[in-house]
Amino acid sequence: MMKRKISVLLTSVAIAALAQAQDDNAAQAQEAAASAPADSVALTVPQVKPGECQALVVVPAKFEPRTEQVVIKDAAKSYEIVPAEYEWTEEQVVIKPASKKLEIVPAVFETVEEQIEVEPAMTTQEVVPPQYAEVKEEVVAKPAYMTARSEGPARTFSSAGEALRMVEVPAQMETITKQTVQEEARLNPTQVEAKFETVKKQKLVSEETTREIEVPAEYKTVKVKKLVKEAEQREKEIPAEYAEVTKFEKVADAQVRWESVLCNDTVNSKTIEAVQSALKKEGYKVSVDGSLGPGTMKALEAYQRKHNLGVGGVTRETLQAMGIEQ
C-alpha cells in the first residue's frame, strides 16, 4: 500500500513537470510520460543519499539536422536561336565609268632674234655756205653836184644884181669794208647707213593639234555586310535546380527522468545570480536580482531545451553546463 502511494505521488510530479513544457518536444515527452504505467515511472527512482534532492525532469526528444538536396525546378528542354553571322568587308564600287576626252595640244613657239631695219640707208645734203673775203672799197658817200656860187655884183647887166657862177662840188668818198664772195655756196652730199634693231619674236615650231586622253573610272570604297553563317536552332537541356533543405530527424524520444537538483535550503541568492548572469550572457532577458521568479524560470527552461538538458528546475546538470561551481 505504501509503495502504491509513492507511485501515485511520483506520477503526479511527472505530470506537473510535463504541463510546464513550452514546445512540441515537451508535448511529445508529456504524451510519452502520460501513456507510461505509473509503476514504470516509480521504478526509476534512484537511491538518494542523505542531504541530496531529486526531481523529475522532462528530457525533450532529440533531433539532429540532416541536409538534403531537394528539386525546386524540374529539368526541361528549351531551344536556342543562334543568330546568323555576318562580317563587314570593303568593296570598290564604280561611281563614274572610264571615258575618253580630246585635249588641245597648243602650238609650240620658239624665241628667235632678228635684225629689223628701223631706218633705211639715205644720202643727206649738207649745205656748205659761201665763203666771203673782206675788201676795202671807196664808195661815193655824196655824189658830186653843181651849185651856184656868188661872184659879187654883176657888171654886165644894166640892172643891179648879184653875179652867180655855176661850180661843180666834187663827190664825197668814204672807205668801207665789205664782204665779197670768194666761193659760192654749194651742197655736200653725205651717205647715211641704214639703222637696224635686234628684236625677239616667237617663231612657230608646230601647229596646234588635238589628242585623245583616257579618263580612268572613279571608284568609292563602301562597307558591305555579308552573310558568313546562316542562323540555326539548337536544342538546349535546362538542368534541374536543387536547393539544400535542412530537415531534423529524431534520434531519441522525449523522456521523463529523475535528476539531481539543489535542495530548497541550499539554493541561495548567490547561486541564482550566477544562473541569471549565465542566462544573460546567452542572450536571455533576465534581471540579475538573485530571485528565482517566473521570468528566470522561463529563460532557464528555454536554455535547458536548447542544450538538450532535462527541463525542470535548477538541476546540477544545468549548473555544470553553465560552469557554475556547486
Side-chain angles (χ1 to χ4, degrees):
M1 185 67 178
M2 185 65 178
K3 184 177 180 181
R4 181 65 177 172
K5 287 181 179 180
I6 293 173
S7 298
V8 173
L9 178 61
L10 293 177
T11 302
S12 299
V13 174
I15 293 172
L18 289 171
Q20 295 179 4
Q22 299 295 322
D23 57 4
D24 294 339
N25 293 333
Q28 293 175 4
Q30 181 180 1
E31 183 180 350
S35 61
D39 291 341
S40 64
V41 177
L43 292 175
T44 60
V45 177
Q47 292 183 355
V48 181
K49 295 179 181 180
E52 289 186 357
C53 295
Q54 295 282 330
L56 277 176
V57 296
V58 178
V59 180
K62 188 176 181 180
F63 294 86
E64 290 185 357
R66 297 284 187 272
T67 301
E68 291 184 6
Q69 292 284 334
V70 179
V71 177
I72 60 173
K73 187 176 182 180
D74 291 333
K77 288 184 178 180
S78 179
Y79 292 94
E80 179 184 19
I81 302 299
V82 180
E85 294 181 10
Y86 296 87
E87 68 177 6
W88 288 95
T89 60
E90 291 186 349
E91 289 188 1
Q92 296 288 325
V93 178
V94 178
I95 59 174
K96 187 177 181 181
S99 61
K100 294 181 180 180
K101 71 175 183 179
L102 291 177
E103 182 182 60
I104 296 176
V105 180
V108 178
F109 295 87
E110 67 176 1
T111 302
V112 295
E113 291 184 351
E114 187 176 331
Q115 295 289 324
I116 302 297
E117 186 181 57
V118 293
E119 289 185 19
M122 66 179 69
T123 300
T124 61
Q125 297 291 338
E126 182 183 4
V127 177
V128 180
Q131 299 295 319
Y132 294 89
E134 287 186 356
V135 293
K136 290 183 178 182
E137 182 180 350
E138 284 191 351
V139 294
V140 178
K142 188 174 181 181
Y145 62 91
M146 297 300 289
T147 183
R149 181 178 296 176
S150 175
E151 289 290 332
R155 296 174 176 177
T156 59
F157 296 98
S158 57
S159 60
E162 185 177 5
L164 295 175
R165 186 177 57 176
M166 296 297 293
V167 292
E168 182 180 5
V169 178
Q172 294 180 4
M173 302 301 291
E174 183 179 349
T175 301
I176 61 172
T177 301
K178 69 175 183 179
Q179 300 282 334
T180 60
V181 176
Q182 295 289 322
E183 187 178 345
E184 293 290 340
R186 59 186 177 84
L187 294 176
N188 185 22
T190 301
Q191 190 68 30
V192 179
E193 295 182 354
K195 290 184 179 180
F196 294 89
E197 185 177 332
T198 301
V199 294
K200 292 182 179 181
K201 67 178 183 179
Q202 298 291 315
K203 180 181 178 182
L204 180 64
V205 177
S206 60
E207 296 285 346
E208 181 182 275
T209 59
T210 58
R211 63 181 177 185
E212 194 176 72
I213 296 178
E214 294 285 343
V215 179
E218 293 182 14
Y219 296 87
K220 182 179 181 180
T221 302
V222 295
K223 286 188 175 182
V224 180
K225 190 176 183 180
K226 289 189 174 182
L227 179 66
V228 176
K229 187 177 180 182
E230 296 282 351
E232 60 178 325
Q233 177 180 310
R234 295 178 184 173
E235 189 176 278
K236 183 180 179 182
E237 293 287 340
I238 301 176
E241 294 183 13
Y242 296 87
E244 286 191 353
V245 177
T246 301
K247 294 183 178 181
F248 290 89
E249 181 179 347
K250 186 170 70 173
V251 295
D253 290 329
Q255 59 178 326
V256 179
R257 71 184 181 195
W258 290 99
E259 191 71 46
S260 177
V261 297
L262 295 180
C263 298
N264 290 336
D265 57 351
T266 59
V267 178
N268 52 42
S269 60
K270 184 177 180 181
T271 303
I272 300 303
E273 286 178 359
V275 171
Q276 290 171 334
S277 296
L279 291 172
K280 194 168 186 178
K281 189 176 181 180
E282 285 279 331
Y284 296 99
K285 295 181 179 180
V286 294
S287 299
V288 182
D289 55 6
S291 175
L292 193 61
T296 301
M297 284 301 298
K298 185 176 180 181
L300 179 62
E301 291 173 359
Y303 175 86
Q304 290 169 334
R305 284 192 293 272
K306 178 180 177 181
H307 294 279
N308 290 320
L309 302 173
V311 179
V314 184
T315 64
R316 294 186 182 279
E317 181 186 34
T318 302
L319 295 176
Q320 184 178 357
M322 290 181 173
I324 299 173
E325 294 183 1
Q326 304 174 26

